[in-house]
Amino acid sequence: MRRALDVAAEAVRSGDVPVGAVVLDPAGEVIASAANARERDGDPTAHAEVLALRAAAGALGSWRLTGCTLVATLEPCTMCAGALVLARVARLVYGADDPKAGAVGSLWDVVRDRRLNSRPEVVRGVLADESAELLRTFFTAHRPR
């Protein structure tokens, strides 16, 4: 999670919301990482999780990320939760809950939907305070007073 927090901090330089994601292979080695890049790339799908999953698929040469772990600083949204389920990620670890857009229990629970053929293990709240503080600091600086 510390690596994901470091990656998240990089997003701020391009004006993006500081969310970071890291993908670990089944042996626990980092194979990909990414920060939000929606502002930088002008791409609404350039969430940290999606970018990290794409990079991991490239590194492994397969879209199936069986046995991999996605570590994210923020609870994934519906798009990202759907992407990690479709990629067959085995485990999701995330920091801060997202009460406005979270799809891993806050608003929806995409990853635990029994109708889907892949349901990752979920570990929530890892370094949640640090993850939330990074977001609070960003939004305090970027919201009109």
Side-chain angles (χ1 to χ4, degrees), residues 62-125:
S62 174
W63 62 268
R64 289 177 185 89
L65 302 180
T66 308
C68 290
T69 298
L70 174 65
V71 179
T73 58
L74 182 65
E75 177 184 2
C77 68
T78 52
M79 175 181 67
C80 296
L84 73 96
V85 167
L86 292 173
R88 313 293 195 268
V89 169
R91 183 175 307 101
L92 166 65
V93 177
Y94 74 88
D97 288 332
D98 185 351
K100 293 182 179 179
V104 185
S106 290
L107 285 182
W108 301 280
D109 203 350
V110 172
V111 301
R112 293 184 191 95
D113 190 319
R114 293 187 184 278
R115 295 169 292 184
L116 300 174
N117 65 347
S118 178
R119 288 182 300 280
E121 171 190 354
V122 175
V123 179
R124 66 180 279 273

Side-chain angles (χ1 to χ4, degrees), residues 2-12 18-22 33-36 48 134:
R2 294 249 181 247
R3 173 86 177 260
L5 283 164
D6 290 343
V7 171
E10 295 171 14
V12 176
V19 176
V22 174
S33 63
N36 270 358
L134 191 59

